[in-house]
Amino acid sequence: MVLKILTNFFKRIFSEMFKGKTNISIGFYGPPNAGKTSLANRICKDWTGEEIGTVSRVPHETRKVQFREKVDIKYKENQLTFKLVDTPGIATKIDYEDFMKFKMKKKEAQSRAKEATQGIIESIKWLDDVDAVVVVVDSTENPYSQVNVTIIGNLVARKIPVLIVANKIDSRKSDIKKCEDAFPEYDVVGISAKYGTNMEEFYESLFKLAKKVKK
Amino acid sequence: MMQTKKMSKNKNKSKHEALTLQFIPFSEIEKLDSTARIRKLLEIVLNNKIIVIQGKLRAEEETRLIEDTMVMVGKVKGFRGIELAVVSPNAKERDFMSKVKHGIANALVGQTDSLTIIGPAAIIKDMKRDPRKLEVMMSGR
């Protein structure tokens, strides 16, 4: 009995010591349609029971930053509580005519384009308020896109810890090796947010990411 | 007859539409602060020119450029944004001494061994970059 109390006491002390900063904010960044909201939904559904936002094949579906306070993950004796910040995809151009290809009327497309530009500005502003970032890239696309490079370069300059998630590994066109080669200095985890593939490795990497956050 | 001549002249004109590449040496933007740098670049892009900069912007300037571009998309009629690409030599392929030399040179004169290409999205459809090449896809105007 005494041994059990002592074991629990030391367990608690050590887990507090290695917990890192509490109440951390983890931002989900990346280009449009990489699957940021799909991943955020997967995490929220796994650990809070509710999804955070809607997903669509039309780019810029997420046009406002959406967050979920206190997502509590317990995995293999580890525990992590964080604020999940799902951001609109960052792009260097917005053309309303691109939305019209998805059978949208001109007015609706123009309004969506306007909201998308505001969403990008909001995403960039939120970089000041996150402690760590999960950069979600589409593993079926060229990882060397300037948006990916710019986001990661900015995070490095701000000394914000980064985890790269190569999403859509369920697709035949997926090339994780190319993603790893593009970002050799970072942990790259291949997942399928849609089907929940390889989420165990993702959660392990998320714990490692949280530990890198300065207290 | 006159009309035909005029029409054929217009036809030729659309066939040979000029595309301006404006080269900006690093020394030209070196002393500007971030706000002035970005303003200068956006002014050129808004004039439908493609910029080739010797060197690269700082990380925070790149995001600021995207931010300001989005503000302009909402304000300037017909402006859809920019295409941006930075080509840098592969640091991994350098030996230790070469890395030290480059580090010192970068600290003294900026990252002049890189090239930054910025163009209006109305002209450049896409820029595909990989470590060894940059493909620029132009819009059919």
Side-chain angles (χ1 to χ4, degrees):
Chain A
M1 181 67 183
V2 178
L3 189 71
K4 199 175 178 184
I5 291 167
L6 278 172
T7 316
N8 283 342
F9 174 75
F10 283 113
K11 231 182 185 175
R12 214 168 53 236
I13 295 286
F14 279 107
S15 73
E16 283 299 318
M17 275 172 73
F18 295 105
K19 214 167 158 183
K21 186 182 169 183
T22 51
N23 298 324
I24 63 167
S25 295
I26 300 181
F28 285 58
Y29 278 82
N33 264 30
K36 297 174 290 299
T37 306
S38 297
L39 177 57
N41 277 346
R42 171 73 53 188
I43 298 166
C44 287
K45 215 173 171 188
D46 282 353
W47 304 101
T48 69
E50 281 177 355
E51 292 189 343
I52 192 169
T54 54
V55 292
S56 161
R57 67 190 184 95
V58 184
H60 300 282
E61 177 66 15
T62 307
R63 298 183 296 282
K64 276 191 175 162
V65 170
Q66 40 199 16
F67 43 87
R68 178 66 43 90
E69 302 279 354
K70 291 194 176 175
V71 177
D72 201 7
I73 296 181
K74 287 175 190 134
Y75 184 74
K76 287 186 184 172
E77 294 179 14
N78 288 311
Q79 189 177 346
L80 170 67
T81 306
F82 67 100
K83 178 177 174 175
L84 190 154
V85 183
D86 180 30
T87 67
I90 294 179
T92 58
K93 60 180 177 186
I94 302 281
D95 188 351
Y96 76 88
E97 285 178 1
D98 289 341
F99 299 124
M100 289 170 76
K101 291 171 193 160
F102 294 92
K103 292 178 183 170
M104 266 184 214
K105 287 192 176 148
K106 192 177 175 183
K107 262 200 167 168
E108 191 191 348
Q110 282 174 327
S111 156
R112 193 181 180 99
K114 195 177 177 188
E115 286 170 12
T117 58
Q118 287 160 352
I120 293 169
I121 295 167
E122 202 189 350
S123 281
I124 293 172
K125 294 216 184 301
W126 264 85
L127 281 169
D128 294 331
D129 297 307
V130 290
D131 301 301
V133 166
V134 174
V135 177
V136 183
V137 300
D138 182 341
S139 67
T140 67
E141 298 281 339
N142 177 16
Y144 294 95
S145 87
Q146 192 59 43
V147 165
N148 293 343
V149 176
T150 299
I151 296 170
I152 293 167
N154 199 283
L155 295 166
V156 171
R158 289 165 186 257
K159 296 190 173 116
I160 297 174
V162 180
L163 166 67
I164 297 170
V165 168
N167 191 23
K168 306 187 187 179
I169 59 164
D170 55 286
S171 170
R172 274 192 300 172
K173 284 195 273 173
S174 166
D175 190 346
I176 302 179
K177 177 81 175 57
K178 204 173 176 185
C179 295
E180 286 169 344
D181 289 346
F183 310 108
E185 292 153 42
Y186 303 95
D187 286 336
V188 178
V189 186
I191 64 152
S192 165
K194 190 177 176 183
Y195 297 106
T197 316
N198 209 23
M199 289 303 286
E200 295 84 3
E201 195 188 334
F202 167 74
Y203 286 129
E204 273 174 32
S205 302
L206 197 66
F207 281 111
K208 280 188 209 162
L209 178 75
K211 277 183 186 168
K212 288 180 192 165
V213 176
K214 283 181 185 163
K215 288 180 190 182
Chain B
M1 185 65 188
M2 270 294 272
Q3 206 178 5
T4 325
K5 208 174 178 181
K6 202 175 175 185
M7 272 176 71
S8 70
K9 204 178 169 186
N10 281 343
K11 212 175 170 186
N12 283 343
K13 200 178 171 186
S14 63
K15 258 187 190 173
H16 304 290
E17 213 167 330
L19 176 73
T20 312
L21 293 177
Q22 183 157 340
F23 179 66
I24 300 184
F26 189 75
S27 55
E28 204 176 311
I29 54 167
E30 192 184 1
K31 288 187 179 120
L32 299 177
D33 63 28
S34 294
T35 310
R37 265 185 203 189
I38 289 157
R39 194 187 303 141
K40 184 184 174 87
L41 299 176
L42 278 175
E43 270 171 17
I44 299 168
V45 170
L46 282 167
N47 280 318
N48 276 344
K49 290 176 185 169
I50 297 171
I51 309 168
V52 180
I53 307 168
Q54 178 196 20
K56 60 186 278 190
L57 298 172
R58 284 192 283 268
E60 63 273 21
E61 286 173 341
E62 276 183 24
T63 34
R64 174 84 186 277
L65 177 66
I66 296 175
E67 216 178 332
D68 288 1
T69 299
M70 287 303 123
V71 174
M72 299 301 264
V73 169
K75 281 184 182 166
V76 179
K77 206 180 170 191
F79 182 58
R80 300 166 197 170
I82 58 165
E83 276 293 340
L84 163 75
V86 183
V87 193
S88 302
N90 195 346
K92 274 197 299 179
E93 288 171 6
R94 290 184 192 142
D95 59 33
F96 177 73
M97 276 316 287
S98 178
K99 275 182 187 170
V100 171
K101 268 192 248 169
H102 269 88
I104 295 167
N106 285 344
L108 291 172
V109 292
Q111 285 194 306
T112 51
D113 55 355
S114 304
L115 274 183
T116 304
I117 297 111
I118 307 167
I123 294 176
I124 300 177
K125 198 178 172 197
D126 197 9
M127 286 205 267
K128 284 186 182 168
R129 205 188 73 142
D130 72 23
R132 299 208 173 267
K133 65 176 185 226
L134 176 73
E135 283 179 88
V136 181
M137 261 72 78
M138 310 300 283
S139 291
R141 290 191 289 166

